[in-house]
Amino acid sequence: MDPALLRERELFKLKASAIPVVEKRLREDNSNKDEFKRKSKPLPSMPRPPSPPNTSSSLNSYKSYGQSSQYKFGVLTKIVKYIRARHQDGDDHPLTLDELLDETNQLDVGTKVKTWLETEALPGNPKIERTPDGKYMFKPPYKLKDRKALFKVLKQQDLKGLGGIMMDDIQESLPNCEKALKHLHNEILYVCRPGDKKKVMFYNDKSATIDINEDFKKMWRSIAVENMDDEKIEEHLEKQGISSMQDNGIKKVNHVKRKKPVTKKRLSKRPRDNEHLANVLEDYDTL
C-alpha cells in the first residue's frame, strides 16, 4: 500500500479523535436521568389545608339565634308586666295564654314561641302561678288582700323576730297599696337601706317605745365605735371596771332516764287431776 495514503489515514484518525462528540453525551445524560427516575420513588402527596369556615354564615346564624331569643323573652316580659299590673289593680282572675297574648297585642306569635311559653317560660317563672285548669295568674311574694292582712303579716314578722319586709314586695303583693299604706302610717316604720336606698317596712310596736333623755342620746352618738368590734369594746369596758353582760342562754338539764322495774307475773296455783274432790268422788264400777 502507498505510504502516503497510510499517513493521510492516520492524520484523519487523529483529527477525528480530537473532535468531541456531543450527541453521545446527551444520550448518556438522558439515559442516566431515566434510570434515576425509575429508581427513585415518588413522594406522597401532601394533604391540602382545610378551607377556612364560612364566617359570614356562622355570624348570620348567631345573629338570627340572638334575635329569636331576644324576641321570645320580649314576649314573656310583656306578659309578666301585664299580669303584675292586673294584680296591683285588683284583678285576680286567671287568664289563658291566648287571652294574655290578646291583651298584650301579641297575637302574631308563632307556634314555636307559644309552645316555649306553655312548657318552659310561664311555668318556670317565679312571678307567675299556673292553675290546675291551665290558666295563669300573678304570684305575689305575700298573699295580701287588704290592709288588715298587711297589718297581720307585719305583726307576725315582729313577734317571730324575722325583721322587716321590703316595700317593693308589698307593692307587688297588695292591690291598691298606696291607700292601704296611708291608713296604716301610724303602725309602720320605714327604714332606708344605705346601700341601694330601698325602703324596709317594720311593725311599729308602741309598747316597746321608751322615752330616752336627749343628753344621753347625744353622749351615745358622740362615741365613735366604727373601727371597734365587740371584743375590743368588752376589753375597754373591763379596763374601766364595767363588766359586760353575758348571754349564756338557758342551760339544758339532761334528765337521766330511770329503768322501769320489771314486774314478775304471779303464777296462780291451780288444782290438777281434781285433787280437791278426792273425798267426794265415788267409784261405781264395783256396784
Side-chain angles (χ1 to χ4, degrees):
M1 193 173 179
D2 191 0
L5 293 173
L6 292 172
R7 289 176 184 174
E8 290 179 359
R9 183 171 175 271
E10 292 295 332
L11 291 172
F12 178 77
K13 287 182 178 181
L14 290 172
K15 289 180 180 180
S17 61
I19 297 171
V21 180
V22 181
E23 292 180 357
K24 290 183 179 180
R25 290 182 181 177
L26 289 173
R27 289 177 183 176
E28 289 177 357
D29 293 338
N30 291 330
S31 62
N32 292 331
K33 287 181 180 179
D34 294 336
E35 290 179 359
F36 179 75
K37 286 181 180 179
R38 290 174 184 174
K39 291 180 180 179
S40 62
K41 295 181 180 179
L43 295 173
S45 60
M46 297 296 290
R48 293 183 179 179
S51 59
N54 193 355
T55 55
S56 61
S57 62
S58 61
L59 287 173
N60 291 330
S61 62
Y62 177 75
K63 287 180 180 179
S64 62
Y65 175 75
Q67 290 175 359
S68 63
S69 62
Q70 186 177 2
Y71 173 71
K72 290 193 297 185
F73 283 103
V75 174
L76 177 62
T77 303
K78 287 183 180 179
I79 292 174
V80 174
K81 287 182 178 180
Y82 175 73
I83 292 178
R84 182 191 300 163
R86 286 182 68 254
H87 177 78
Q88 291 174 351
D89 292 337
D91 296 334
D92 288 336
H93 62 278
L95 298 175
T96 61
L97 179 59
D98 293 333
E99 290 173 347
L100 290 172
L101 293 174
D102 187 11
E103 293 291 335
T104 55
N105 298 323
Q106 299 183 107
L107 290 174
D108 56 346
V109 172
T111 55
K112 290 184 179 180
V113 179
K114 277 188 178 181
T115 54
W116 176 73
L117 290 171
E118 289 179 349
T119 57
E120 297 181 15
L122 293 177
N125 195 295
K127 297 292 184 181
I128 295 177
E129 182 179 359
R130 185 173 182 176
T131 59
D133 56 352
K135 295 183 179 181
Y136 302 95
M137 60 186 298
F138 184 68
K139 185 179 180 180
Y142 299 93
K143 292 184 178 181
L144 305 174
K145 293 183 179 180
D146 50 12
R147 64 175 184 270
K148 292 181 180 179
L150 173 60
F151 179 75
K152 186 177 180 181
V153 169
L154 289 172
K155 195 171 183 180
Q156 289 295 324
Q157 288 280 114
D158 182 70
L159 291 174
K160 294 179 181 179
L162 300 176
I165 301 175
M166 298 297 297
M167 189 172 179
D168 294 340
D169 295 340
I170 298 299
Q171 288 176 348
E172 284 189 354
S173 304
L174 183 62
N176 302 318
C177 179
E178 298 298 331
K179 293 181 180 179
L181 294 178
K182 286 181 181 179
H183 286 284
L184 297 174
H185 68 280
N186 292 327
E187 307 293 337
I188 299 174
L189 292 175
Y190 297 96
V191 177
C192 187
R193 294 198 306 191
D196 51 6
K197 303 298 181 181
K198 290 185 177 181
K199 290 185 178 181
V200 185
M201 301 170 61
F202 292 87
Y203 171 66
N204 187 10
D205 190 2
K206 296 179 181 178
S207 63
T209 55
I210 302 172
D211 293 331
I212 300 173
N213 192 0
E214 292 295 331
D215 295 335
F216 183 77
K217 289 181 181 179
K218 290 179 181 179
M219 292 174 62
W220 179 267
R221 291 169 183 169
S222 64
I223 300 171
V225 291
E226 294 178 356
N227 298 324
M228 298 179 68
D229 54 2
D230 294 339
E231 293 181 357
K232 291 182 179 180
I233 294 172
E234 187 176 353
E235 290 177 1
H236 178 72
L237 292 175
E238 288 178 355
K239 289 179 181 179
Q240 301 298 326
I242 302 171
S243 60
S244 60
M245 184 172 60
Q246 300 290 335
D247 185 11
N248 296 324
I250 301 172
K251 294 182 179 180
K252 294 182 179 180
V253 180
N254 295 324
H255 296 283
V256 179
K257 293 183 179 180
R258 295 180 180 179
K259 294 182 179 180
K260 295 181 179 180
V262 180
T263 56
K264 295 181 180 180
K265 294 182 179 180
R266 293 182 179 180
L267 299 175
S268 59
K269 294 182 179 180
R270 296 179 181 178
R272 296 180 180 179
D273 298 333
N274 296 328
E275 292 178 356
H276 63 292
L277 299 175
N279 299 325
V280 179
L281 296 176
E282 294 181 1
D283 189 5
Y284 293 96
D285 293 336
T286 58
L287 296 176

